[in-house]
Amino acid sequence: MQNFTLNSDLVNLILNSISSAIVITNENLEILFHNNVAGDLLNCKNSSDLSNILSTNDLVEKVNKLISHNDVTYEVFTSNITTLNNDSLICNVKFIKISNFYLLVIDDKTHLTQLINDLKNAKEAEEQAKKAQIDFLSNLSHEIRTPMNGVIGMTDLLAETNLDEEQLEYVNLIKKSSKSLMMLLNSLFDISKYEKDEIELNNEVFDFIELVESAVKSVDNLIKTKNLKFNYQIDKNIPEFLYGDFNKLKQLLSNLLHNAVKFTEQGYISLQVKEEATRFNSSNEKNHKILFIVADSGIGIKDEIKDKIYDRFSQGDTVMFKNYSGVGLGLTIVKQIVNLMKGEIWFESQVGKGTTFYVAIELTEKNSQTKNDDFTRIFSNINNDAHVELLEDLNINSKVTENQKNNLILIVDDNKLNQQVISNIFDKYGVKYKIMNNGLEAINELRTNKYDLVFMDMMMPVMDGIETTKIIRNGQYPEIDKNIKIIALTAFTQKEIENRYQDLQIDGLLSKPFHKNDILKLLKQHLPFVDIKNYELNESVDNEEEFAIEEVLDRIGNDKNLLKMIYQTFTQDIFKYIFSLNEALEKGDYHGAKVALHTMKSLTSNIGANRLTKVILNLEVLIEEKSYNRVNEFMNNLRIEIKNFLKVAETKIKEISGE
Amino acid sequence: MLFLIAEDDLSSRIILQQLLSPYGEVHIAINGQEAIDLFKMSLDSKNYYDAIFLDIMMPVMNGKEALKEIRDLEKKNKLEKETYIMMVTALNTPKEVIESFYEGGCSSYTVKPVDRRKLIGKLREDKILR
């Protein structure tokens, strides 16, 4: 090794070859040495220029401060330096004290600082833009929703007027389009709420099978239109009732299913629900980890877009955008719901073969649940279109026909709402029935009592309809009539049922959602001795029910006290209204009469005095048409009807009070 | 939740009040003018209504007039968002409902006799109730 010493030339060379500016001063801050970089950086030709520059900047001040603290030997700080030709620099300064000298190492960080600031600003701007976009979306969807309510409301009203077939078709198209627009607006609204963290879980005890079935129902029509095969399976280990946010879970599942259908042109969609694990939580309740698997034989997801599928408005690539409707919000919402529920989501996909989505979510099995919970839930989900339609169907006012034969029908369905729907119809027509919650209960019941007809749901916990039907048909219980007529309750069509369960010997099929007329048709077909001919509505007063007490109770949530309150109001107010009506008519004040009739109509329709309401409606029409000569005749009818109503109502009210 | 009902017929008032009371506090007015007075008080106390139910036909001041007045008051007081207003109507008055929608800016409507499921369902759909 060669002997090596640093001579001053070498030191000079080194100091001038590094990129930092170097200045060495004595204790009085007089410059003893500076390298070339220092001169270049600060644009100074000699030491005195440099001295000036340094002393006119905050650098000297900062250095003096450091010197005043005797113990500081090394410090790094940032200083703004203005050069001789007035450039502003942001510099990083190292201050080093070496015995009686000070060494300043100055690095120009102007560009770097600028760059960092630019980046920061850009990031902030982007965040703000994103927030603005979300706010915009949220406001926009809200603003459009408001007039859309008007459009939908008016379309509903329009549909109730006298339209010919063509007009009705157009109105229905408007309805359909506005509904899908509304759905889109709602998802936009939801997205903005999720992104602003405004959404909370609304947990309740719910019927798990109903969850799956209602999600399936939401894609049922689409699947049929596209002629896809579909099946779903629910693990029998999953409890009947679980605790969670029903509506969001339903949205999650239907979005996944919708997504699958959207990107599948032929083949199949399948939904599998498995219980993956269970554990006890801190409150000693059982948590079930449920795995939802939605598989399709669709176009699959290309590798390059796999990271983007949960992004807003992305839908595969832009080419796909043209072929597939929707704006690509479905999976974004799914992801957000999964996050909210602290679940997991992942998928496997092969281009051209299909995609399988997996969602794992933990749901609690509550130790105790009251029937009341269940009841409230039925009402809270009544919003569901099909159900509303059903229940509206039930609001018809009809006469119960006396039923001569002792025929009995067994309804086997675990879904409380379905039970309610069918039993309401049977009640109205005086058909006798009993309800069982699952196949096992049904078998036991059939062994003890004779029935003419069984309405059997196919999907049930404990023992499903398929197994139950097989047990009945194979004659293993001699006390059960193995040829008893069985009607399958299902969301599938006859053809699907035949394909699916070839050996299943059923006599008929009732598709969900149930319609009153379908049920009645089946009854006529299979129990011809039941007289249900006179159920059609009649416009004339005579066919109106005097006091539709059940209808009223149904409307007010079965609150008997409220019914009594309304009745009491009726007895007090009806005469007051009659009085003002009379007064108006005597004065020939027909506008006043109309107002009085209108108020009276609120009262009579509230208490379910349907016949009375009809008389009032007739009176309104008479006055509207200026047929004043017939008004007296109808006023008489009105008085008679009030008397009749009070008589009937008094008894019925007493009956329910006596309970 | 704070509701306001304006309805002249006692029986309809009782029904609405009973159906809504599980969800919150219910204030009652027997005509449009009273509803306006209560609405003004709510503005003063900043205790705003979550939903207002206006019968269309009422003496003194009818529902449509009350609706217009409320919307004007909202504008005058620069309220951030419009109050949800449901018109309560008899089925055979579609003209009045249409006018309420397009001239008065109501949020929705329900038909008498009021049905619990439809009413609550609509309120849930419109995100007034959760």
Side-chain angles (χ1 to χ4, degrees):
Chain A
M1 260 270 196
Q2 213 176 328
N3 234 355
F4 177 78
T5 45
L6 271 175
N7 60 37
S8 63
D9 284 346
L10 192 53
V11 171
N12 235 328
L13 187 65
I14 294 170
L15 288 176
N16 280 318
S17 63
I18 59 177
S19 61
S20 306
I22 289 179
V23 178
I24 299 171
T25 72
N26 62 14
E27 279 173 299
N28 302 322
L29 290 179
E30 287 156 357
I31 296 175
L32 304 176
F33 170 87
H34 66 87
N35 64 356
N36 294 341
V37 183
D40 293 346
L41 178 68
L42 303 174
N43 223 275
C44 299
K45 291 193 182 76
N46 48 49
S47 294
S48 68
D49 281 355
L50 196 61
S51 220
N52 275 337
I53 285 294
L54 292 183
S55 57
T56 51
N57 282 291
D58 66 344
L59 182 83
V60 174
E61 213 175 290
K62 285 182 179 167
V63 169
N64 274 327
K65 222 177 189 174
L66 291 172
I67 296 169
S68 66
H69 297 277
N70 272 326
D71 49 340
V72 177
T73 54
Y74 179 90
E75 189 63 61
V76 183
F77 57 90
T78 308
S79 177
N80 295 314
I81 299 173
T82 313
T83 65
L84 204 60
N85 53 355
N86 275 330
D87 286 338
S88 260
L89 303 180
I90 299 162
C91 295
N92 197 7
V93 181
K94 278 192 197 102
F95 166 85
I96 302 162
K97 189 178 172 188
I98 310 163
S99 64
N100 297 331
F101 306 105
Y102 301 123
L103 170 64
L104 298 172
V105 182
I106 305 169
D107 289 298
D108 180 9
K109 298 285 181 194
T110 315
H111 290 296
L112 194 64
T113 317
Q114 195 67 48
L115 211 59
I116 290 170
N117 279 342
D118 286 353
L119 274 175
K120 266 189 197 157
N121 289 341
K123 194 170 171 253
E124 232 163 72
E126 199 211 311
E127 267 163 18
Q128 254 173 14
K130 199 181 158 200
K131 198 182 161 287
Q133 191 190 14
I134 293 166
D135 286 345
F136 175 72
L137 274 180
S138 154
N139 290 337
L140 183 76
S141 54
H142 183 262
E143 289 303 316
I144 303 177
R145 264 155 43 117
T146 314
M148 273 311 287
N149 270 325
V151 174
I152 291 175
M154 288 309 107
T155 316
D156 283 346
L157 282 179
L158 185 58
E160 279 169 27
T161 57
N162 283 330
L163 300 175
D164 65 35
E165 225 168 84
E166 194 184 358
Q167 288 168 330
L168 192 66
E169 193 191 328
Y170 296 154
V171 171
N172 283 335
L173 275 174
I174 300 178
K175 260 190 180 173
K176 216 172 134 191
S177 311
S178 21
K179 229 169 145 185
S180 50
L181 179 56
M182 218 36 190
M183 262 167 69
L184 168 64
L185 291 170
N186 282 339
S187 13
L188 277 173
F189 198 63
D190 282 350
I191 290 244
S192 60
K193 277 208 285 197
Y194 279 116
E195 298 210 353
K196 285 199 272 185
D197 290 327
E198 276 178 7
I199 288 222
E200 287 171 7
L201 288 175
N202 195 5
N203 292 335
E204 58 188 349
V205 175
F206 66 90
D207 182 335
F208 189 79
I209 292 181
E210 193 190 321
L211 166 75
V212 178
E213 283 186 346
S214 63
V216 166
K217 199 156 66 188
S218 73
V219 286
D220 205 32
N221 274 337
L222 275 174
I223 289 174
K224 275 180 197 150
T225 325
K226 281 193 156 184
N227 238 334
L228 301 170
K229 280 187 202 131
F230 177 70
N231 69 70
Y232 67 103
Q233 284 176 343
I234 304 174
D235 190 337
K236 284 188 177 158
N237 291 326
I238 298 173
E240 196 178 347
F241 291 101
L242 284 168
Y243 184 74
D245 190 324
F246 180 91
N247 286 327
K248 288 194 189 67
L249 282 167
K250 185 186 157 192
Q251 192 179 13
L252 183 156
L253 265 188
S254 12
N255 281 10
L256 279 178
L257 288 168
H258 266 281
N259 198 62
V261 176
K262 193 194 284 179
F263 295 112
T264 305
E265 288 313 317
Q266 53 183 354
Y268 68 90
I269 311 283
S270 79
L271 167 66
Q272 248 187 309
V273 190
K274 285 183 183 167
E275 179 177 80
E276 212 181 26
T278 58
R279 67 177 177 92
F280 284 92
N281 64 17
S282 50
S283 353
N284 207 25
E285 287 164 332
K286 208 172 183 186
N287 275 6
H288 297 256
K289 192 172 191 182
I290 311 280
L291 185 62
F292 298 93
I293 307 170
V294 177
D296 66 53
S297 60
I299 55 170
I301 303 170
K302 286 186 201 155
D303 282 343
E304 58 265 38
I305 54 167
K306 279 185 175 167
D307 303 336
K308 291 189 195 144
I309 59 158
Y310 302 119
D311 290 354
R312 263 182 289 148
F313 305 120
S314 89
Q315 200 186 55
D317 50 32
T318 34
V319 183
M320 273 162 59
F321 214 109
K322 286 177 194 131
N323 297 331
Y324 299 95
S325 57
V327 287
L329 290 170
L331 284 178
T332 315
I333 293 180
V334 167
K335 180 82 170 50
Q336 278 160 332
I337 295 175
V338 171
N339 287 347
L340 196 64
M341 295 184 176
K342 300 192 171 61
E344 295 156 66
I345 179 165
W346 68 98
F347 64 89
E348 291 160 0
S349 184
Q350 237 182 317
V351 174
K353 290 254 172 78
T355 306
T356 306
F357 272 94
Y358 300 84
V359 170
I361 280 168
E362 214 168 40
L363 296 168
T364 310
E365 181 180 5
K366 287 275 167 194
N367 291 335
S368 66
Q369 37 176 277
T370 58
K371 223 183 157 186
N372 204 21
D373 267 0
D374 195 20
F375 195 64
T376 330
R377 187 178 48 75
I378 286 173
F379 276 115
S380 68
N381 293 325
I382 226 87
N383 215 348
N384 190 313
D385 286 345
H387 288 161
V388 169
E389 199 186 323
L390 279 171
L391 289 157
E392 274 170 357
D393 261 359
L394 292 177
N395 271 341
I396 52 134
N397 156 37
S398 56
K399 282 194 164 175
V400 174
T401 337
E402 282 302 315
N403 187 7
Q404 304 84 0
K405 291 232 176 179
N406 220 16
N407 56 86
L408 279 174
I409 294 172
L410 192 65
I411 302 169
V412 194
D413 195 331
D414 59 309
N415 184 308
K416 301 281 181 298
L417 187 63
N418 290 342
Q419 292 179 359
Q420 201 186 342
V421 169
I422 302 181
S423 58
N424 272 355
I425 294 171
F426 287 173
D427 281 342
K428 285 229 159 84
Y429 300 109
V431 179
K432 289 189 178 154
Y433 62 88
K434 240 184 198 173
I435 297 175
M436 298 292 135
N437 290 308
N438 59 56
L440 202 62
E441 284 183 24
I443 294 286
N444 286 333
E445 179 62 24
L446 284 169
R447 289 177 69 183
T448 29
N449 288 313
K450 285 266 167 284
Y451 287 87
D452 295 313
L453 189 61
V454 182
F455 279 85
M456 178 97 67
D457 185 25
M458 289 292 109
M459 295 275 304
M460 283 184 293
V462 188
M463 185 192 282
D464 66 17
I466 300 147
E467 204 178 332
T468 315
T469 306
K470 280 184 187 155
I471 290 176
I472 295 172
R473 294 291 187 236
N474 72 18
Q476 91 186 58
Y477 297 104
E479 57 275 39
I480 299 179
D481 171 13
K482 69 176 197 173
N483 296 319
I484 188 169
K485 286 182 170 154
I486 299 176
I487 310 286
L489 307 179
T490 169
F492 295 118
T493 62
Q494 180 81 46
K495 210 171 162 197
E496 283 169 319
I497 283 281
E498 279 164 10
N499 288 342
R500 214 168 294 269
Y501 322 108
Q502 282 169 355
D503 312 327
L504 202 67
Q505 297 158 344
I506 50 169
D507 301 281
L509 187 81
L510 185 57
S511 296
K512 295 175 190 177
F514 307 136
H515 284 274
K516 181 197 73 198
N517 289 338
D518 294 340
I519 296 181
L520 294 175
K521 221 157 87 189
L522 280 168
L523 283 187
K524 270 189 188 169
Q525 188 185 337
H526 295 286
L527 303 173
F529 45 85
V530 182
D531 182 19
I532 43 170
K533 279 188 295 249
N534 297 322
Y535 66 84
E536 293 301 332
L537 272 180
N538 194 312
E539 286 299 308
S540 104
V541 177
D542 291 343
N543 283 324
E544 296 291 341
E545 207 171 340
E546 187 84 71
F547 180 26
I549 185 167
E550 326 255 279
E551 194 184 301
V552 179
L553 280 171
D554 184 55
R555 206 161 53 216
I556 58 177
N558 227 10
D559 185 339
K560 285 179 183 156
N561 280 327
L562 181 52
L563 176 75
K564 273 183 249 172
M565 276 166 81
I566 304 169
Y567 179 68
Q568 214 172 0
T569 324
F570 180 88
T571 56
Q572 285 163 11
D573 284 356
I574 190 71
F575 296 106
K576 207 165 74 192
Y577 294 155
I578 286 280
F579 182 77
S580 36
L581 176 61
N582 262 335
E583 208 177 36
L585 286 174
E586 271 166 26
K587 278 193 285 186
D589 171 11
Y590 290 108
H591 176 73
K594 255 163 71 181
V595 174
L597 281 169
H598 188 91
T599 323
M600 204 185 290
K601 195 174 55 189
S602 295
L603 182 61
T604 57
S605 62
N606 279 337
I607 192 64
N610 289 353
R611 208 183 279 196
L612 192 47
T613 308
K614 186 83 195 183
V615 176
I616 294 172
L617 283 169
N618 288 339
L619 262 166
E620 277 188 321
V621 173
L622 286 182
I623 291 175
E624 191 70 41
E625 290 172 350
K626 301 195 166 59
S627 322
Y628 302 133
N629 53 338
R630 292 194 65 200
V631 167
N632 271 344
E633 173 196 334
F634 274 82
M635 281 300 287
N636 268 337
N637 285 350
L638 187 67
R639 290 190 197 96
I640 294 168
E641 283 306 333
I642 292 176
K643 246 192 250 167
N644 287 347
F645 171 76
L646 285 172
K647 221 158 67 190
V648 175
E650 194 73 24
T651 327
K652 283 201 183 175
I653 296 281
K654 267 189 193 142
E655 261 171 39
I656 65 159
S657 309
E659 278 174 18
Chain B
M1 279 283 149
L2 187 57
F3 304 111
L4 171 60
I5 299 170
E7 164 72 69
D8 60 322
D9 172 54
L10 177 60
S11 67
S12 309
R13 217 152 57 214
I14 291 177
I15 293 178
L16 267 177
Q17 186 187 18
Q18 291 291 315
L19 297 186
L20 291 170
S21 58
Y23 303 94
E25 197 181 327
V26 186
H27 291 175
I28 298 281
I30 64 162
N31 59 49
Q33 188 52 54
E34 279 193 12
I36 297 299
D37 293 343
L38 282 167
F39 185 74
K40 279 182 186 158
M41 279 157 65
S42 81
L43 291 177
D44 291 341
S45 61
K46 298 209 184 321
N47 191 17
Y48 302 116
Y49 290 107
D50 295 290
I52 298 178
F53 302 83
L54 297 176
D55 182 26
I56 286 193
M57 248 201 200
M58 284 185 291
V60 189
M61 183 194 268
N62 71 30
K64 277 196 306 176
E65 289 162 348
L67 171 66
K68 194 173 168 300
E69 180 87 32
I70 290 176
R71 292 296 182 230
D72 286 348
L73 282 169
E74 282 173 342
K75 274 190 203 115
K76 232 179 264 167
N77 286 275
K78 302 199 168 66
L79 245 62
E80 249 173 58
K81 62 171 202 190
E82 287 189 343
T83 313
Y84 182 87
I85 298 182
M86 183 183 269
M87 303 308 283
V88 184
T89 163
L91 189 57
N92 58 350
T93 50
K95 184 172 157 276
E96 310 279 349
V97 184
I98 292 170
E99 283 173 8
S100 302
F101 265 108
Y102 289 107
E103 291 163 22
C106 73
S107 322
S108 66
Y109 73 95
T110 192
V111 172
K112 282 196 230 179
V114 173
D115 182 303
R116 182 192 183 277
R117 279 182 290 249
K118 282 188 197 159
L119 175 75
I120 302 302
K122 182 79 185 128
L123 291 176
R124 282 192 214 279
E125 192 182 303
D126 292 341
K127 320 247 170 184
I128 300 301
L129 296 180
R130 287 205 300 145

